Amino acid sequence: MEQKDKRLDEIKELYDQLVMGDDLSNANEEQKIELYHKNQEVSEQILSIIEEILREDALNKEALFWKIRIYNGPYYDDVSVMMSTAQEIIERLPTDKKAVFSAFDWLSWIYETKLELKEKSIEVLHDKLIEISLLKDDYSLQDKEFGETYYMIAYLYRELEDYSTAVSFYKLAYDHFPDHYYATYQGGRLFLERGEYNEAYELLNSFYIFHGNEYSVNFGKEIEELYKAGKLEGYWNLISLLYHIGIDYPEEFGAKNTREYGMRFADIIEEELKTNPENEIVLRMKIRYYLVVEKNSKKAFETLGKYYSVVKEVTSSLFFTYYELAEKFGVSIEDYPIRCDSFYGYNLMTRFLEKAGELKGEDNERALKYYEQAKEIGGLVIPQLDAYFDRGEGPKVNNNSHGYAMLCNNLGIAIRNVSKLKEDTYETDDCRYALTLHKKGYELSPFIENLDNGLFLAETLEEFREVEYFSQELLTYHDEFSSEWMSVQGRILKNHINANQYEEAELFYYSLKERFEQKEIEDEDIVSEMIYMAADFFTYVRYKKHDFYKTIELTEEFFSNPMYFDLVDEVAKVNYWFSLAWSYHGLNDRNNASKYFDMIVDAFDGHGRYQSTVDEIPQEYKLPSEEREAVNRLWHLAQVEVNVTQNYSLMDHTANIKYLTDIVDYVQQGQETPAEYWVSEEYHLKVCPRNLRENTKEVIYDTSLDFYFKEGNYTIRFNIDEREEKVRKLLGLISKKIWAKEVYTYYYFYEDDEETSNDYEVYGGGKHPDLDKVAQQLWNTWVEKIKTVK
């Protein structure tokens, strides 16, 4: 942070110490004297910092605005300084439109509040309107400023009791800023008071839709008075607004509950629909009547059907209810075109998205349908928002950058879930588009959910630059060295690892570790995050770099600091042992590997938090002692180095019986359970002692040595086939049964995710000459191995 920024933060902290308003006016005389001196001291400190900043940078806008505030404070109170400073901003910072607009607002406020010159305040705001009209290519800011300025002019004309002019400016404010809180509320009520009912509805309904709080009751009661006086004949829009407000707040209108209030309108609704069955407004009233008053979903669905047969398009979140009820009653509904604006589109999409989330995992088929609906709706709304923000086209209600950001987030979630549920992958063009949506939404309006979800997709899609972008932005939301900050740092390190950027990963790890240990942090969660980060780096060095000695060195050095064991003993132990165990395993140091794997099993087997770590341990290290010894013998035999000079033909079935028997006997030594282990990531060995072949008409025993190769997904099996045969002598007059043995070589081929296979070929069959060569070479090597150790 620059020094200038720190001083501005100091100003804010000091300003918050000033005593103003009721706290000052309600103090007794003695307290006021004390508070006066405090305000003087603090104000002088603030002004001193402001002047220091302005000496270095005379056009520092933050300092200039603080100057206006301090001269409107409880100690300094100088209108001339306030006005001259605001005028200075307008004249000397003409390209900084936001600063210029704020300066005009200050001038207007000073004329109205300090000098009580409302006409002059209006004049200043008209000057501001000219400045706003000159704004180019920022349609969002222009509409916001037009709407806010028209509202302030309307407010001032109302204060001057020029109501006809006031309502015209309220309408202008609404036209540019449809969800303006005060313009819609104050202007709508003024229109209502003047009997301009259609304009009143337009503004009041906007307030109800966008804000819908208890203040709606105020104009709801005013509408009720007009209704009871018979002044709203035919104004179904206002009658409907009254109805919906009363449904929300029945007690405010003298009803005990929603049902009692809703019943007041039952006959009125029926009478109107008899006369005009296609009255869309009243149909919506009837739909809500069935939904919340009678709570009759069947009649609600029937009425929804009538409503959509009239409007023939989707314009609001009411469609979600129609869709839900159609699914409930097993009825197929017409595919209406969706023409939602951004507000209704976002609400409708979000309702489908939330429902999909509820179904996901329990009924993925239905969840997919809801996700697809959400994706469709969001995909139709996004171009509307793009058209507004890029070209200023479309309704002004689209001027909601935060809403745009939320829409991008939710649409991104819908898209990725459709890809996952439909194609079982995130590796799709749609998901890459979703990633751009999260970034675009965040850049338009900082919405942290876009960062979280964008980071997830970026990591999944291995978009390393985007991971860096989202991570760096996320860091700004968390205090340095908090657990959340550390977690994000861990993801940055993983990004270097996934991108195979060893030098960057190493530099990042050592730098962060040094800074972290200097802090001497004692928060268990934060310390754990540092351990997880280190473990990721160790895994990278071990797994991707295959540098097992370096991994051991890194692990021992990191955990030589006792702070980790002192603060989070279990986390430290499991990660320390895990790193060493796998490193020694990679070095084929089975004694040390067994030592640390055993420590993990003894300490954490059955421990819920670390069971997954225990489950990762190779099976051969978790075997009973006799079985483990057999695996160790198999491992030892695999390590024997030989110089193969002799060929032991695989077609000599009988001669090879002794060699294969010797291999199996050496490994098994009476142990009945097969001995097996992964020699490397791509190569698995298995020795199976004599066992009865299943599902055969005759009695057959097999004794085998299997080599499974991950690349190619096949097994080469050397197998002793042992079965009973009849031997006849003396011209066939005498016969006896003997156990006949032969060695055969088989090739087994597997489909993806298949553990057993009936698809096999036999050595020498002519179909796989390449495998015949591999098999012969393996056999030569392993015969030499067993001859060496025997």
Side-chain angles (χ1 to χ4, degrees):
M1 182 179 289
E2 298 179 9
Q3 183 66 28
K4 180 173 62 178
D5 294 330
K6 290 182 178 179
R7 288 178 297 180
L8 290 169
D9 285 343
E10 187 180 351
I11 290 174
K12 185 180 183 309
E13 291 174 7
L14 288 169
Y15 190 82
D16 290 340
Q17 296 175 25
L18 293 173
V19 182
M20 298 181 281
D22 292 341
D23 291 338
L24 183 60
S25 59
N26 293 335
N28 59 40
E29 291 304 317
E30 184 177 341
Q31 291 172 328
K32 283 181 179 179
I33 295 172
E34 182 181 341
L35 293 175
Y36 174 83
H37 289 299
K38 177 184 178 180
N39 284 336
Q40 177 184 8
E41 180 183 352
V42 174
S43 297
E44 288 173 348
Q45 289 182 58
I46 292 173
L47 187 57
S48 175
I49 298 171
I50 291 171
E51 290 173 345
E52 179 186 344
I53 295 172
L54 291 176
R55 279 195 296 271
E56 298 173 8
D57 178 7
L59 295 181
N60 183 292
K61 65 180 179 182
E62 288 88 354
L64 289 170
F65 279 115
W66 275 117
K67 185 176 180 181
I68 294 173
R69 292 189 194 96
I70 199 63
Y71 276 101
N72 183 44
Y75 177 70
Y76 295 110
D77 188 8
D78 192 326
V79 169
S80 63
V81 174
M82 294 172 66
M83 295 183 72
S84 64
T85 305
Q87 196 64 46
E88 181 181 7
I89 294 170
I90 293 169
E91 293 173 358
R92 300 188 65 187
L93 294 170
T95 60
D96 191 333
K97 294 302 182 183
K98 288 184 179 180
V100 170
F101 298 154
S102 294
F104 272 115
D105 291 341
W106 269 110
L107 279 177
S108 173
W109 181 84
I110 293 166
Y111 278 119
E112 179 207 352
T113 306
K114 292 286 188 179
L115 302 177
E116 298 183 358
L117 297 173
K118 289 182 172 56
E119 291 86 352
K120 184 62 177 176
S121 178
I122 292 172
E123 185 181 322
V124 170
L125 292 173
H126 276 286
D127 290 339
K128 180 187 174 186
L129 289 174
I130 295 172
E131 286 290 332
I132 297 170
S133 67
L134 299 175
L135 185 64
K136 302 297 182 184
D137 301 328
D138 192 340
Y139 308 104
S140 175
L141 179 60
Q142 187 175 60
D143 277 327
K144 288 285 186 184
E145 290 294 337
F146 268 137
E148 185 64 34
T149 307
Y150 285 135
Y151 160 69
M152 290 189 288
I153 295 173
Y155 170 80
L156 290 168
Y157 275 119
R158 194 184 70 171
E159 290 291 297
L160 292 168
E161 299 183 0
D162 184 349
Y163 300 119
S164 59
T165 304
V167 291
S168 65
F169 278 100
Y170 276 126
K171 184 64 168 61
L172 283 169
Y174 167 79
D175 289 342
H176 285 276
F177 199 157
D179 55 343
H180 193 289
Y181 189 91
Y182 297 107
T184 53
Y185 183 79
Q186 296 173 7
R189 293 183 72 184
L190 187 55
F191 274 121
L192 195 65
E193 182 182 325
R194 291 167 57 82
E196 299 177 52
Y197 297 139
N198 288 328
E199 292 81 359
Y201 170 76
E202 196 172 13
L203 272 66
L204 294 176
N205 187 57
S206 184
F207 179 89
Y208 175 70
I209 289 171
F210 291 107
H211 309 294
N213 56 32
E214 64 275 10
Y215 288 102
S216 303
V217 173
N218 293 335
F219 57 77
K221 289 183 176 180
E222 292 168 358
I223 296 171
E224 184 181 46
E225 289 181 11
L226 293 169
Y227 176 67
K228 288 180 177 178
K231 296 182 179 181
L232 297 183
E233 185 73 28
Y235 287 99
W236 281 104
N237 48 14
L238 281 175
I239 296 170
S240 173
L241 181 56
L242 166 64
Y243 170 78
H244 290 300
I245 294 170
I247 291 288
D248 292 338
Y249 302 96
E251 294 86 355
E252 297 289 343
F253 293 86
K256 293 179 181 178
N257 50 44
T258 297
R259 179 174 178 78
E260 182 181 316
Y261 182 83
M263 290 298 292
R264 297 176 184 177
F265 290 81
D267 292 341
I268 299 165
I269 291 170
E270 287 302 321
E271 288 175 11
E272 170 61 17
L273 289 178
K274 285 178 183 177
T275 306
N276 186 4
E278 294 191 351
N279 187 324
E280 298 173 19
I281 297 172
V282 182
L283 280 170
R284 286 198 299 271
M285 291 172 69
K286 189 175 184 181
I287 291 164
R288 196 169 188 199
Y289 175 84
Y290 284 134
L291 287 173
V292 302
V293 178
E294 278 199 11
K295 297 182 179 179
N296 188 326
S297 57
K298 191 172 187 303
K299 287 186 177 179
F301 178 65
E302 292 171 356
T303 311
L304 277 160
K306 293 176 184 177
Y307 172 74
Y308 279 104
S309 69
V310 173
V311 298
K312 297 186 182 302
E313 62 183 15
V314 177
T315 59
S316 74
S317 54
L318 186 63
F319 180 74
F320 176 78
T321 304
Y322 189 32
Y323 188 96
E324 280 269 84
L325 291 177
E327 188 182 44
K328 176 182 177 180
F329 295 121
V331 178
S332 177
I333 58 177
E334 188 175 339
D335 188 14
Y336 295 103
I338 298 170
R339 308 190 194 283
C340 295
D341 62 33
S342 61
F343 176 79
Y344 279 121
Y346 169 77
N347 287 342
L348 179 58
M349 182 190 75
T350 302
R351 294 193 70 180
F352 276 99
L353 186 64
E354 289 173 346
K355 180 66 175 182
E358 293 172 10
L359 293 169
K360 186 180 177 183
E362 295 182 4
D363 189 342
N364 284 340
E365 186 176 343
R366 287 180 65 206
L368 176 59
K369 291 180 181 178
Y370 280 89
Y371 278 126
E372 286 178 325
Q373 282 286 337
K375 176 184 174 183
E376 180 187 359
I377 297 161
L380 291 169
V381 175
I382 284 289
Q384 297 179 37
L385 290 162
D386 288 338
Y388 176 79
F389 282 100
D390 295 342
R391 302 183 298 279
E393 299 172 357
K396 309 296 185 182
V397 72
N398 288 328
N399 189 11
N400 184 339
S401 57
H402 186 64
Y404 190 179
M406 292 191 294
L407 184 68
C408 286
N409 181 66
N410 287 1
L411 179 54
I413 293 172
I415 288 171
R416 85 178 192 219
N417 277 285
V418 169
S419 291
K420 186 64 177 174
L421 291 174
K422 202 168 186 178
E423 303 181 44
D424 195 29
T425 181
Y426 295 116
E427 288 282 350
T428 64
D429 290 340
D430 276 356
C431 282
R432 296 187 186 281
Y433 170 62
L435 179 60
T436 67
L437 282 176
H438 287 302
K439 187 173 184 179
K440 185 176 184 178
Y442 177 77
E443 289 176 342
L444 191 61
S445 178
F447 184 52
I448 195 169
E449 282 81 356
N450 271 315
L451 293 181
D452 289 328
N453 289 301
L455 180 55
F456 168 81
L457 271 181
E459 289 172 330
T460 304
L461 297 171
E462 294 189 342
E463 294 287 346
F464 304 122
R465 289 185 180 179
E466 297 304 315
V467 172
E468 182 72 16
Y469 168 80
F470 285 113
S471 298
Q472 291 298 335
E473 289 296 322
L474 264 177
L475 287 177
T476 65
Y477 288 84
H478 306 299
D479 294 333
E480 191 177 41
F481 288 104
S482 65
S483 60
E484 296 85 1
W485 186 88
M486 289 289 289
S487 177
V488 177
Q489 294 286 6
R491 296 173 84 166
I492 294 173
L493 176 61
K494 282 185 180 178
N495 190 47
H496 289 311
I497 290 170
N498 291 334
N500 203 24
Q501 299 169 341
Y502 178 74
E503 291 181 0
E504 290 87 342
E506 184 177 42
L507 180 63
F508 183 90
Y509 164 72
Y510 281 119
S511 174
L512 187 64
K513 174 180 175 292
E514 181 180 357
R515 291 169 58 206
F516 176 81
E517 292 183 347
Q518 287 174 352
K519 291 282 184 181
E520 296 184 352
I521 295 169
E522 296 187 354
D523 183 294
E524 293 179 2
D525 292 336
I526 300 173
V527 173
S528 295
E529 289 292 344
M530 185 65 236
I531 294 175
Y532 301 146
M533 214 178 306
D536 284 335
F537 183 60
F538 303 158
T539 301
Y540 172 54
V541 176
R542 183 188 76 248
Y543 181 70
K544 282 198 172 181
K545 304 297 289 183
H546 299 288
D547 194 338
F548 305 113
Y549 290 111
K550 180 68 172 178
T551 306
I552 293 170
E553 177 189 331
L554 286 166
T555 305
E556 294 287 10
E557 186 277 330
F558 181 84
F559 287 106
S560 66
N561 188 331
M563 66 172 283
Y564 299 110
F565 294 100
D566 292 344
L567 290 168
V568 281
D569 183 62
E570 286 187 345
V571 176
K573 283 180 177 176
V574 74
N575 283 280
Y576 176 53
W577 296 338
F578 185 86
S579 183
L580 292 178
W582 280 99
S583 297
Y584 284 118
H585 176 69
L587 290 168
N588 284 324
D589 184 343
R590 296 183 68 80
N591 290 332
N592 273 315
S594 293
K595 170 186 169 183
Y596 289 107
F597 280 134
D598 286 347
M599 292 167 75
I600 293 173
V601 172
D602 291 343
F604 300 113
D605 192 19
H607 192 304
R609 182 177 178 183
Y610 303 111
Q611 188 60 47
S612 60
T613 303
V614 176
D615 294 341
E616 288 183 42
I617 297 173
Q619 189 61 35
E620 65 260 30
Y621 290 101
K622 294 188 283 187
L623 296 171
S625 59
E626 289 185 2
E627 294 179 37
R628 191 184 298 194
E629 288 170 5
V631 172
N632 286 340
R633 288 189 293 271
L634 176 59
W635 170 82
H636 180 265
L637 187 58
Q639 306 309 306
V640 172
E641 294 185 5
V642 295
N643 294 316
V644 179
T645 57
Q646 188 170 346
N647 186 62
Y648 301 92
S649 172
L650 283 168
M651 299 304 292
D652 189 354
H653 302 305
T654 304
N656 289 325
I657 292 172
K658 178 181 181 304
Y659 298 129
L660 185 50
T661 301
D662 286 346
I663 292 171
V664 174
D665 288 347
Y666 172 82
V667 172
Q668 296 297 131
Q669 294 189 14
Q671 169 64 37
E672 294 183 358
T673 304
E676 59 182 309
Y677 84 106
W678 282 91
V679 179
S680 68
E681 293 175 20
E682 296 295 327
Y683 168 29
H684 183 266
L685 260 176
K686 182 178 182 181
V687 171
C688 292
R690 185 173 183 265
N691 66 94
L692 181 65
R693 188 182 298 183
E694 297 179 355
N695 303 320
T696 56
K697 293 180 180 179
E698 57 184 316
V699 177
I700 303 173
Y701 287 91
D702 294 298
T703 306
S704 61
L705 171 63
D706 288 0
F707 295 83
Y708 169 75
F709 297 92
K710 191 173 182 181
E711 184 177 350
N713 201 15
Y714 67 90
T715 292
I716 295 177
R717 171 174 292 176
F718 302 106
N719 193 82
I720 297 175
D721 182 299
E722 184 178 354
R723 64 185 75 195
E724 280 189 328
E725 288 187 357
K726 280 186 178 181
V727 178
R728 295 183 180 275
K729 296 183 179 181
L730 295 176
L731 303 176
L733 298 176
I734 302 173
S735 67
K736 67 175 181 178
K737 292 182 178 180
I738 64 169
W739 285 102
K741 297 182 182 181
E742 286 194 81
V743 171
Y744 293 96
T745 303
Y746 300 101
Y747 308 137
Y748 290 92
F749 306 97
Y750 307 90
E751 298 294 333
D752 290 341
D753 300 323
E754 190 177 45
E755 293 184 2
T756 60
S757 173
N758 291 318
D759 180 14
Y760 71 94
E761 297 289 343
V762 180
Y763 172 87
K767 293 185 177 180
H768 299 282
D770 52 338
L771 289 184
D772 289 349
K773 290 180 182 179
V774 174
Q776 185 62 67
Q777 185 178 358
L778 277 174
W779 183 244
N780 293 342
T781 300
W782 277 75
V783 170
E784 290 292 344
K785 285 177 183 286
I786 194 62
K787 289 175 70 175
T788 300
V789 300
K790 287 291 282 185

